[in-house]
Amino acid sequence: MMKIIKDRADRWFYRCPVLLMLLLPLFLHSGCNTTVKLEPADLLIDNVQLVDVRNGNVIPDQSVLVHAGEIVAITDYDAGLAIGARDTLHADGLYLIPGLWDMHVHFRGGQELIQENERLIDLYLPHGITSIADMGGDIPEAVYSWREEIQNGERLGPNLYTTGPKLDGAGGGWDGSLAVENRQDATDALNQLEERDADAIKIYDGSLTDSAFRHILDEAGERGMRTIAHIPLSVTLEEALAGGLNSIQHLYYVVKACTPEEEEIARRYRDGETGFWQAVREMEEGWDENLAREVAEQLSREGTAVSPTLHIARTLFFLDRDDHSNDPLLDYIPAGIQETYAGRVNAAASRNEDYIAFQHRLFDIFRKMTLILHEAGVPLLAGSDAGPFNSYVYPGNGLHGELEELVNAGLTPLEALRTATMLPARFMDMEEETGTIASGKSADLVLLEANPLKNIRNTRRIAGVIRDGRYFDREELDKMLTAADPQ
């Protein structure tokens, strides 16, 4: 049998997972009295059912060895990992999935809400979310600071990626946006974002002109910066794709391309003859399913990702039916952020029956469009749009709502799960590091009580979370939720 000596560390061994996997079978099955001078790994997860999101399999009876925040070995449970670990987690048949990503969140609301935004960070890990992408706001310096603290191990939280402030036109739709009206403005804005090592560029359509949009894409393309956008309605989808746009947020901008009137809608919007919601009504009326399939094929050929954000659309479009005033998760949302919900709630209260019916029809189109995109092979990225001003879309919980809406749209649970694991990792050029469970990848993992491939709601049944190799059981996760409670 293999003998372990724990008092001398040969940590290099764990840093070479390929060598470890080659040697482990020899050590485990040779039957010799080999002495290996190794320090124990940090964590052994044994008797776990590993969910392979790439191939769609559940691999039973596995042992996963974690060291220095990295998966260093995976073997059959009955073989055992004789090299041992400081801590052993007996999973007893629980399901192990990669840590979840929420690819669209916000921290915003001005300086007076910085502390309340900070408390929202604590809501993600208890929901199994180990990576989040901030899509821009008006407190970028705070977000940059939180990102650095998390990276340095000074703050507990999910991996935090950020676009920094949004790029918009003069007097844009959100406070804190960088105004871009010409090529020099685009250069200056991207210089600022590069200086702060922004993980992507978020382009917004509040008052951005079509020419300024193209300037941003041109400048970003020259620098190799990742672009994520609300496409101005004055720009056709083909023009945006020709500019090299990497990702589209929300489905309005895709649906516009699925009407024969797209160019005319763009012209009227550019000339000030129509506003956003009037244009959206025209999109809804003119949406053509056959044209939608052609658009989806084009997006697939270009490799352009789309974040459908169905959950927030469902939440906001159906405020006429759903009373959220007693939502249990409101207890975890600080009072100042709850106050920002009033704008959308009051707007919903003023809608007439015709407008409500239009929004319900639009949501049906969004669902159909999502399935068409998926069937064409367009990369879908799960995003909740949680944060201040987005009423009743809660940090952490909203991502699970998005996964459920994707399944309601026609994706299988496996396909939905990929939108929050391997596909975000691929989009962020991190597929070699995370997104699936494999030796050499980050130990950001979630233990579930039931199989998520049978029912996507099982992603909510979280028994524990491993973040950067550190295990948090359900009790510890619940304490994080309590810490975020403003009461």
Side-chain angles (χ1 to χ4, degrees):
M1 293 295 293
M2 180 178 176
K3 182 180 178 182
I4 307 298
I5 296 179
K6 299 183 180 180
D7 58 350
R8 282 184 282 188
D10 289 328
R11 287 180 177 267
W12 64 271
F13 192 86
Y14 296 105
R15 294 294 185 184
C16 188
V18 174
L19 178 60
L20 179 60
M21 292 304 294
L22 287 173
L23 294 181
L24 267 175
L26 297 177
F27 294 151
L28 297 178
H29 301 297
S30 65
C32 65
N33 292 321
T34 305
T35 298
V36 182
K37 299 177 181 178
L38 293 175
E39 180 182 358
D42 296 326
L43 177 65
L44 173 63
I45 309 167
D46 68 13
N47 191 21
V48 73
Q49 301 196 66
L50 192 154
V51 178
D52 180 353
V53 297
R54 185 182 303 279
N55 297 313
N57 302 324
V58 174
I59 307 171
D61 305 323
Q62 295 294 290
S63 290
V64 179
L65 191 69
V66 173
H67 191 68
E70 183 179 291
I71 299 170
V72 295
I74 301 173
T75 71
D76 291 340
Y77 172 57
D78 58 6
L81 281 170
I83 56 178
R86 291 190 183 87
D87 296 305
T88 298
L89 173 60
H90 300 293
D92 295 329
L94 294 175
Y95 294 82
L96 190 68
I97 65 170
L100 299 172
W101 292 63
D102 188 332
M103 287 296 288
H104 194 135
V105 309
H106 288 288
F107 298 103
R108 60 192 179 193
Q111 298 296 307
E112 64 274 17
L113 288 184
I114 285 180
Q115 288 186 338
E116 297 198 355
N117 274 272
E118 186 175 8
R119 298 178 80 170
L120 299 181
I121 296 173
D122 294 333
L123 297 177
Y124 287 101
L125 288 184
H127 288 92
I129 298 168
T130 58
S131 297
I132 58 175
D134 165 55
M135 290 290 117
D138 56 356
I139 52 172
E141 293 305 316
V143 178
Y144 290 138
S145 177
W146 300 335
R147 179 182 64 172
E148 183 178 359
E149 291 168 2
I150 290 170
Q151 289 174 344
N152 294 339
E154 299 166 1
R155 173 189 293 273
L156 178 61
N159 297 299
L160 173 55
Y161 306 96
T162 183
T163 65
K166 300 176 184 179
L167 305 189
D168 200 347
W174 290 94
D175 291 341
S177 299
L178 302 180
V180 176
E181 298 184 81
N182 52 50
R183 183 62 184 251
Q184 186 58 52
D185 289 343
T187 298
D188 293 343
L190 268 63
N191 283 343
Q192 179 175 327
L193 295 177
E194 276 196 316
E195 287 172 6
R196 298 313 308 263
D197 197 24
D199 298 291
I201 298 166
K202 174 67 179 294
I203 308 170
Y204 195 72
D205 62 338
S207 61
L208 193 69
T209 65
D210 52 327
S211 60
F213 180 75
R214 286 189 283 271
H215 288 318
I216 294 169
L217 290 183
D218 288 345
E219 186 78 19
E222 292 175 6
R223 301 177 187 223
M225 299 177 77
R226 187 181 293 109
T227 49
I228 300 170
H230 291 208
I231 303 172
L233 295 189
S234 57
V235 177
T236 66
L237 180 63
E238 188 165 344
E239 289 171 330
L241 297 183
L245 179 64
N246 300 124
S247 176
I248 300 169
Q249 300 296 295
H250 315 301
L251 291 171
Y252 303 99
Y253 316 100
V254 178
V255 168
K256 180 168 73 74
C258 303
T259 170
E261 301 298 319
E262 180 193 15
E263 291 188 4
E264 180 62 15
I265 292 172
R267 184 199 65 77
R268 290 203 303 273
Y269 187 83
R270 184 186 310 116
D271 294 344
E273 297 175 13
T274 187
F276 181 87
W277 284 108
Q278 179 57 40
V280 173
R281 275 187 175 253
E282 294 172 9
M283 299 175 204
E284 181 266 323
E285 293 169 356
W287 186 77
D288 183 295
E289 186 168 337
N290 291 327
L291 187 54
R293 296 189 184 281
E294 294 178 14
V295 168
E297 292 292 343
Q298 183 182 15
L299 287 165
S300 180
R301 287 193 299 271
E302 297 293 336
T304 309
V306 175
S307 287
T309 60
L310 292 175
H311 175 64
I312 186 172
R314 174 66 179 78
T315 301
L316 298 182
F317 289 179
F318 288 81
L319 287 174
D320 61 295
R321 294 185 185 177
D322 303 327
D323 181 6
H324 295 276
S325 59
N326 294 314
D327 283 359
L329 285 173
L330 276 174
D331 291 341
Y332 304 110
I333 305 301
I337 292 177
Q338 288 192 41
E339 291 173 7
T340 69
Y341 290 178
R344 295 188 190 272
V345 173
N346 293 338
S350 67
R351 296 171 185 158
N352 59 33
E353 291 184 4
D354 174 67
Y355 194 88
I356 290 170
F358 147 68
Q359 289 203 310
H360 292 183
R361 292 193 305 270
L362 181 61
F363 184 71
D364 287 339
I365 289 175
F366 282 177
R367 274 186 172 170
K368 293 176 183 177
M369 190 76 239
T370 297
L371 183 59
I372 289 171
L373 292 170
H374 169 70
E375 290 176 339
V378 175
L380 300 182
L381 307 178
S384 68
D385 212 354
F389 299 97
N390 288 346
S391 315
Y392 310 121
V393 179
Y394 304 110
N397 178 74
L399 187 277
H400 295 279
E402 182 69 7
L403 296 180
E404 290 158 18
E405 287 296 347
L406 289 170
V407 170
N408 290 338
L411 277 68
T412 67
L414 170 64
E415 292 163 346
L417 193 57
R418 286 172 177 159
T419 71
T421 53
M422 60 182 287
L423 292 178
R426 182 178 299 166
F427 179 77
M428 296 296 290
D429 296 324
M430 297 180 65
E431 195 172 10
E432 296 301 314
E433 303 170 40
T434 186
T436 57
I437 302 174
S439 181
K441 294 203 173 184
S442 299
D444 285 340
L445 307 163
V446 182
L447 278 168
L448 301 177
E449 296 175 348
N451 185 354
L453 304 189
K454 289 188 175 180
N455 187 334
I456 195 61
R457 289 188 61 84
N458 288 337
T459 60
R460 296 180 181 272
R461 299 181 61 182
I462 297 168
V465 172
I466 297 96
R467 170 70 178 101
D468 196 28
R470 180 181 171 189
Y471 176 63
F472 299 91
D473 62 22
R474 187 67 258 174
E475 182 178 353
E476 292 172 295
L477 296 173
D478 287 341
K479 286 179 180 178
M480 296 179 198
L481 287 173
T482 301
D485 191 332
Q487 303 301 322

